[in-house]
Amino acid sequence: MNTNPINLLVRFLLELVMLGVIAFWGYQRFEGWEGVAAAIVLPVVAATLWGVFRIPNDPKPAPVAVPGPVRLLLEWALFGWAVWALVDMGYDGWAWLLAGVLVAHYLVSYDRTVVMIRNRPYKGFVK
C-alpha cells in the first residue's frame, strides 16, 4: 500500500507540513533576526536529515544507509517535533489533527513500517 500514488502524495504533503511547522515554530520561538534564521535553518536541518539518512531503495539508493528502525525513529522524531511544536505554539487542535493523520498514514503504509521495524530490505519501490 505504501506505493499507492495517493498514499505517496499524502506522505509528501505530511513532509511539507512538518517542514513548514518547524519553520513557523522557529520563527515564533526566537525574536528578530534569530527567528528568521531559525525559520530557515531548522527546516533545512530537518530536510537534510530526512533526505540523507534513509533505508536502501526508499525510493532510491540512500546517501547514508541506516537500519530500518533507525530510519523509523528519525521519521517519528521529526514528525513528533512538528506535533510538539504545534502544541508549544498553542495549536492543540492542529497538533491532534496532524498526529491522527500521521498515525493513519503509518497504518496504511504498514508494509514499509513493518519492513523497517524488522530491518529487512525494502522492495516496495524496486521494479
Side-chain angles (χ1 to χ4, degrees), residues 13-80:
L13 293 175
L14 284 169
E15 293 168 16
L16 291 179
V17 167
M18 178 252 302
L19 294 172
V21 167
I22 289 171
F24 187 58
W25 177 80
Y27 182 76
Q28 295 289 321
R29 185 81 170 122
F30 301 96
E31 297 198 16
W33 69 269
E34 293 172 334
V36 174
I40 295 168
V41 171
L42 294 176
V44 167
V45 168
T48 301
L49 290 171
W50 189 273
V52 171
F53 298 99
R54 297 194 319 242
I55 59 174
N57 300 322
D58 186 24
K60 53 190 171 188
V64 176
V66 295
V70 171
R71 172 59 190 201
L72 195 57
L73 285 174
L74 174 64
E75 291 181 13
W76 289 349
L78 291 173
F79 281 132

Side-chain angles (χ1 to χ4, degrees), residues 3 8 12 19 47 50 62-63 66 68 70-71 79 88 90 97 110 114-115 121 127:
T3 57
L8 292 174
F12 177 68
L19 294 172
W50 189 273
V66 295
V70 171
R71 172 59 190 201
F79 281 132
D88 187 53
L97 177 64
Y110 66 91
V114 168
V115 163
K127 301 214 182 215

Side-chain angles (χ1 to χ4, degrees), residues 54-56 65-72 111-122:
R54 297 194 319 242
I55 59 174
V66 295
V70 171
R71 172 59 190 201
L72 195 57
D111 53 341
R112 180 176 177 269
T113 304
V114 168
V115 163
M116 286 196 296
I117 290 171
R118 293 183 178 165
N119 199 27
R120 302 286 164 91
Y122 184 65

